[in-house]
Amino acid sequence: MNHLDPVPSDVPERGMSEGRVLADLLRTCARGGDAAFADLYDRTSARVYGLVLRVVRDPAQAEEVTQECFLEIWRTSSRFELARGSALAWMMTIAHRRAVDRVRAAESARQRETVYEERNRPVNHDSTAEVVQASFEARRVRSALAGLTPIQRQAVELAYLGGCTHTEVAVLLDLPLGTAKTRIRDGLIRLRDVLGVGGAR
């Protein structure tokens, strides 16, 4: 492109915040912008991979899941709504869900490999009760999370399910560090009240 050519409309302007740039790139992806998607990938793939690796703990699987994440991001980019959270937070939510799904799938595969042994093992009623109780608690936590605001839920999930530090949560949600800490604490207080447990961390 020579100096007389017009600048393409899908190229983010200089001086824009990263959050605005990523949001604009996602909107362009929704209209089929291949160049915008390549730019989006270059800007965010390292962070997406880092979160996925933290969950799946295996570099090879993390690479596979990261590619799956970006395929989903490309296919569903039209569903992104800036009013519900930052572009990066939306992408990281997809990444975290995909990573958790991979871990669950691997666990299911391991369980299938040992199903014969499990079926022939004497039933430990105490252990069965613990499993039922844990499943019940997990449902309560999911229900409580659904009652948080989108920002609170994203902050809590990144901090306590994704293993991110407060600083990382602030960067991912495009928030000041103090605001991110407040969102996490508010979310934990609300979870504590719904679940009826001890004080927030």
Side-chain angles (χ1 to χ4, degrees), residues 4-69:
L4 298 178
D5 291 328
V7 177
S9 60
D10 61 350
V11 175
E13 297 179 6
R14 290 187 179 88
M16 292 169 57
S17 69
E18 183 190 46
R20 173 68 182 280
V21 169
L22 297 182
D24 284 353
L25 288 172
L26 271 176
R27 282 191 284 263
T28 305
C29 288
R31 298 193 298 269
D34 293 344
F37 180 72
D39 192 2
L40 184 71
Y41 181 89
D42 290 341
R43 290 172 183 268
T44 61
S45 58
R47 282 173 283 185
V48 170
Y49 173 80
L51 175 59
V52 171
L53 179 61
R54 195 176 289 129
V55 176
V56 303
R57 309 288 186 182
D58 178 84
Q61 287 200 48
E63 290 180 2
E64 292 179 5
V65 174
T66 298
Q67 296 305 313
E68 292 173 1
C69 290

Side-chain angles (χ1 to χ4, degrees), residues 7-144:
V7 177
S9 60
D10 61 350
V11 175
E13 297 179 6
R14 290 187 179 88
M16 292 169 57
S17 69
E18 183 190 46
R20 173 68 182 280
V21 169
L22 297 182
D24 284 353
L25 288 172
L26 271 176
R27 282 191 284 263
T28 305
C29 288
R31 298 193 298 269
D34 293 344
F37 180 72
D39 192 2
L40 184 71
Y41 181 89
D42 290 341
R43 290 172 183 268
T44 61
S45 58
R47 282 173 283 185
V48 170
Y49 173 80
L51 175 59
V52 171
L53 179 61
R54 195 176 289 129
V55 176
V56 303
R57 309 288 186 182
D58 178 84
Q61 287 200 48
E63 290 180 2
E64 292 179 5
V65 174
T66 298
Q67 296 305 313
E68 292 173 1
C69 290
F70 277 96
L71 180 59
E72 181 174 348
I73 289 167
W74 168 255
R75 289 175 173 171
T76 64
S77 53
S78 61
R79 300 179 190 172
F80 167 67
E81 297 178 21
L82 185 58
R84 301 186 64 182
S86 72
L88 187 58
W90 181 78
M91 295 172 66
M92 296 300 270
T93 299
I94 291 175
H96 182 263
R97 185 181 67 247
R98 281 276 182 174
V100 170
D101 287 346
R102 176 61 66 93
V103 171
R104 288 173 176 166
E107 181 61 27
S108 295
R110 284 192 292 271
Q111 289 177 355
R112 286 193 296 271
E113 291 174 359
T114 59
V115 66
Y116 179 81
E117 177 185 349
E118 293 296 328
R119 285 178 177 175
N120 288 276
R121 181 177 298 170
V123 176
N124 184 323
H125 295 287
D126 291 339
S127 296
T128 301
E130 291 174 3
V131 170
V132 171
Q133 180 64 24
S135 177
F136 174 72
E137 291 298 330
R139 288 196 296 271
R140 288 184 65 210
V141 170
R142 285 195 295 271
S143 177

